[in-house]
Amino acid sequence: MVAEKIYLLDLGWLGGDLGWFLPGAAGGALTNSNKSPKREWVEIPVTAALVQHKDGYVLFDTGIAPDAMQTHAKGLMDVFPIIKFSEENRIERQLMKVGIKPSDVSFVVISHLHLDHIGQALPFKDAKVPILVQKKELEYALYMLWQGKGGAYDLADLEPLKGANWVPIDDRTFQLLDGVELEFTGGHTPGHQVMHVSTRGGNNYTFTGDYLHIPQEYELEAKGWLLSDADEWHSYIRKLKVRERARKAKIVLSHDPGLWNKFPSAPKGLE
């Protein structure tokens, strides 16, 4: 049995320098022939995916904390400020569009632990929902925070989640449910993972988390400043393209600026 339907959740918008996503001259870096490149500011959606399956609901990522501008490191929020966020972008309100509440979710899968993917996980701690994350990601995030080098990890997200029903996985691929597979990619962070979903309608989807932020990374096969391990990243990109071609998979980028022109948001679903 494969997934019945997938809902994309609208969890607000962030802003940031294009150089975080695109490398070199494409990202506005100085070059010998152009020492005054045009810097570009982009706005990107923050999203999650909810898989409806006969064996339960699977939520991929949880977005950013609604009060992050007040509670998170000021330097971090100056780099990636929240541009748009309303009560409608709270995870509870988005789930309500599908007719469920946090305690109805069977599994939460986190692509990685940066602030815009783990920020609204607290309701699932209270409901004791299993939170699946790569073991390497959890260890690395805490290791860096303990050293005061959090980067895009923030204690304001992880401290409240002590005692949550964490499920650290150490698998390159992990079959969560029939038609729902998690796959380690690394690249963006040491423990980054994506999610592949096959639906009853005969479609295949890959949810990239932040392995890919914007479509140009996919086209150029390159990434900007948000690159943790270049070897891991480049080792996976063509594998992803082969998967897309072989399985006719649709690639869903969590932060694609044009996402809402390509796919519907909840309560409409992907089949």
Side-chain angles (χ1 to χ4, degrees):
M1 179 65 183
V2 292
E4 297 171 10
K5 194 172 286 190
I6 308 166
Y7 301 96
L8 297 181
L9 311 184
D10 178 0
L11 303 175
W13 288 73
L14 297 179
D17 189 309
L18 184 64
W20 290 107
F21 315 121
L22 295 182
L30 278 73
T31 63
N32 188 46
S33 59
N34 183 9
K35 295 185 175 63
S36 301
K38 179 185 176 184
R39 303 269 2 114
E40 187 175 344
W41 183 261
V42 294
E43 295 185 357
I44 57 175
V46 178
T47 66
L50 179 70
V51 179
Q52 181 182 338
H53 194 284
K54 81 171 182 63
D55 294 325
Y57 284 96
V58 178
L59 178 65
F60 184 70
D61 286 336
T62 67
I64 193 163
D67 55 354
M69 294 298 288
Q70 291 75 46
T71 59
H72 288 46
K74 287 183 170 48
L76 174 59
M77 299 316 299
D78 197 38
V79 172
F80 298 115
I82 297 176
I83 302 299
K84 300 172 188 172
F85 194 96
S86 71
E87 286 298 309
E88 282 299 305
N89 302 123
R90 289 182 177 272
I91 196 82
E92 297 92 338
R93 294 291 287 270
Q94 288 292 306
L95 293 176
M96 199 181 300
K97 289 177 180 286
V98 186
I100 68 170
K101 53 189 182 297
S103 59
D104 295 323
V105 173
S106 302
F107 307 98
V108 173
V109 176
I110 302 296
S111 62
H112 65 300
L113 293 168
H114 280 173
L115 76 162
D116 51 328
H117 295 262
I118 190 65
Q120 295 196 64
L122 197 55
F124 305 101
K125 173 191 175 182
D126 298 338
K128 302 191 183 309
V129 179
I131 301 175
L132 285 77
V133 65
Q134 286 284 329
K135 179 173 178 281
K136 183 185 292 189
E137 180 70 8
L138 186 57
E139 291 174 344
Y140 181 78
L142 295 175
Y143 173 68
M144 295 305 287
L145 285 166
W146 275 201
Q147 295 185 78
K149 301 174 183 177
Y153 301 116
D154 201 289
L155 273 174
D157 292 318
L158 294 179
E159 188 80 31
L161 293 174
K162 281 183 178 178
N165 189 6
W166 290 100
V167 182
I169 58 176
D170 197 15
D171 307 78
R172 183 157 287 274
T173 60
F174 182 81
Q175 194 78 26
L176 178 58
L177 300 174
D178 289 344
V180 180
E181 180 186 59
L182 314 182
E183 183 178 18
F184 168 83
T185 66
H188 173 58
T189 65
H192 188 280
Q193 61 185 349
V194 299
M195 181 175 73
H196 306 294
V197 182
S198 299
T199 67
R200 189 170 56 186
N203 294 309
N204 295 299
Y205 296 89
T206 293
F207 298 90
T208 69
D210 281 1
Y211 173 77
L212 294 167
H213 287 82
I214 60 177
Q216 293 95 314
E217 295 169 66
Y218 184 79
E219 295 156 11
L220 293 173
E221 296 188 3
K223 199 170 187 69
W225 303 326
L226 288 172
L227 181 61
S228 170
D229 188 314
D231 179 61
E232 283 181 339
W233 196 90
H234 286 283
S235 294
Y236 188 74
I237 185 64
R238 293 199 176 177
K239 179 181 174 183
L240 178 64
K241 289 187 173 184
V242 166
R243 187 182 185 105
E244 179 187 24
R245 180 173 180 174
R247 305 191 184 191
K248 297 181 174 58
K250 297 176 175 65
I251 308 295
V252 184
L253 282 62
S254 301
H255 296 301
D256 180 358
L259 181 72
W260 299 127
N261 294 324
K262 300 172 183 176
F263 301 102
S265 60
K268 293 181 179 178
L270 309 178
E271 297 183 345

